[in-house]
Amino acid sequence: MKKIVIIEDEALSAKRLIRLINDYDGSIIILGPFQTTDEVKNFLASDHDYDLIISDIRLGAYTVFEAFELNMPTSFVIFTTTYDEYAMNAIKSNGIDYLLKPVNSKELFNSLDKINMLLHQDTTPTALSVVARDMQIWRSRFLVTKGDELVSLKADEISCIYSGKRQVVAYKHDGETYVMSDKLSDLEETLNPDVFFRINRQYIANINYLEKISFFFSSKLHVKIKGCNDSNILISKDKACKFKQWLSK
């Protein structure tokens, strides 16, 4: 890895990244930092000689994805941000890692090691795109509301997510509830499928908080989830087969 592009509109964050990259390997050439989406658009349109992009997501009032829509990066991208609500967009933009600010040196070095290993194995665009698809970035936190407060809720604290007529609600195992801004279909794509399963049209369940699973009429299953007061959660016959396969992974 010889050239790394930095996209960052915060001066202190850019300086920190430059210092960390130099600590990792002083021979790496750093391009940037580019601070606006216009600068990013112009760079990507004219230069393809780089091995990696490290990019903030928010650039002023815009996001870097607006620049990537015009010119998709030809390398992997490590995204840095304060919150992780952009995980799915990151995946679709060659994102190979998703680091929360302030960037931790150990996490960054691990990411750079991983990319170096991949680049030495096979540098063809096809190989890179395949690896990018395989290395999913599952959401670990959500910005939710509780009354008039904003709360950062960890994914592993969620026992289930319910989609009602007016809002989507996350339940914790202790019965606490939080309002989410995401649709259930979007959440299904961004949550780790080893932990979360869409059991029916209204619920996504966390495997760690399944309290009781019982047989029901017509080969359906009845599920009790810790922290959820709904005593009538059912899984259809067709869904039950996939659910049991998921449980036995």
Side-chain angles (χ1 to χ4, degrees), residues 63 72 144 222:
T63 70
M72 180 64 71
V144 297
H222 179 269

Side-chain angles (χ1 to χ4, degrees), residues 12-230:
L12 289 177
S13 295
K15 288 180 180 179
R16 177 178 175 80
L17 281 174
I18 292 171
R19 177 174 60 79
L20 290 176
I21 293 169
N22 284 328
D23 288 344
Y24 178 81
D25 184 347
S27 67
I28 292 176
I29 297 172
I30 298 173
L31 306 177
F34 299 102
Q35 299 178 307
T36 68
T37 53
D38 285 339
E39 289 179 358
V40 176
K41 290 174 185 176
N42 292 335
F43 170 78
L44 293 177
S46 60
D47 195 332
H48 304 288
D49 182 21
Y50 53 88
D51 303 298
L52 173 69
I53 294 177
I54 302 178
S55 177
D56 190 6
I57 291 180
R58 296 293 313 185
L59 299 177
Y62 304 95
T63 70
V64 74
F65 302 120
E66 296 172 50
F68 288 172
E69 284 176 1
L70 291 179
N71 294 285
M72 180 64 71
T74 58
S75 73
F76 283 131
V77 183
I78 296 175
F79 288 98
T80 65
T81 188
T82 304
Y83 296 107
D84 61 358
E85 66 266 33
Y86 298 105
M88 277 308 296
N89 282 358
I91 293 168
K92 295 173 183 177
S93 301
N94 282 5
I96 194 170
D97 231 331
Y98 198 91
L99 306 180
L100 294 178
K101 291 182 176 181
V103 175
N104 179 283
S105 59
K106 182 178 179 180
E107 292 181 351
L108 178 62
F109 291 175
N110 286 340
S111 296
L112 296 176
D113 285 343
K114 178 169 58 180
I115 293 164
N116 265 324
M117 179 182 68
L118 292 170
L119 291 176
H120 280 95
Q121 287 176 352
D122 193 335
T123 57
T124 63
T126 300
L128 294 181
S129 62
V130 168
V131 174
R133 284 199 303 269
D134 291 341
M135 302 187 70
Q136 295 282 18
I137 307 166
W138 308 117
R139 288 185 69 170
S140 60
R141 292 190 295 184
F142 297 87
L143 190 62
V144 297
T145 57
K146 179 75 172 177
D148 59 354
E149 295 182 2
L150 287 174
V151 179
S152 180
L153 180 64
K154 293 180 180 179
D156 58 14
E157 295 178 323
I158 299 172
S159 65
C160 67
I161 302 171
Y162 168 76
S163 178
K165 292 182 179 180
R166 296 183 179 179
Q167 58 190 14
V168 175
V169 178
Y171 285 81
K172 288 178 65 175
H173 65 89
D174 58 4
E176 288 286 320
T177 59
Y178 303 86
V179 177
M180 308 186 78
S181 59
D182 307 79
K183 296 179 181 178
L184 207 65
S185 56
D186 293 335
L187 291 167
E188 186 180 9
E189 293 184 2
T190 59
L191 288 164
N192 186 343
D194 291 334
V195 179
F196 291 90
F197 187 86
R198 178 79 175 267
I199 57 178
N200 56 34
R201 292 178 63 185
Q202 292 182 301
Y203 280 96
I204 292 176
N206 185 330
I207 193 172
N208 298 305
Y209 298 106
L210 293 173
E211 200 166 47
K212 187 178 181 180
I213 305 167
S214 309
F215 291 107
F216 200 73
F217 298 111
S218 303
S219 300
K220 296 178 182 178
L221 294 176
H222 179 269
V223 180
K224 177 63 178 173
I225 303 172
K226 190 176 293 186
C228 180
N229 56 10
D230 189 345

Side-chain angles (χ1 to χ4, degrees), residues 197 199 205 210 213 221 223 235 238-248:
F197 187 86
I199 57 178
L210 293 173
I213 305 167
L221 294 176
V223 180
I235 304 178
D238 293 338
K239 199 83 170 181
C241 182
K242 294 181 180 179
F243 178 68
K244 286 185 283 188
Q245 290 174 350
W246 173 70
L247 288 174
S248 61

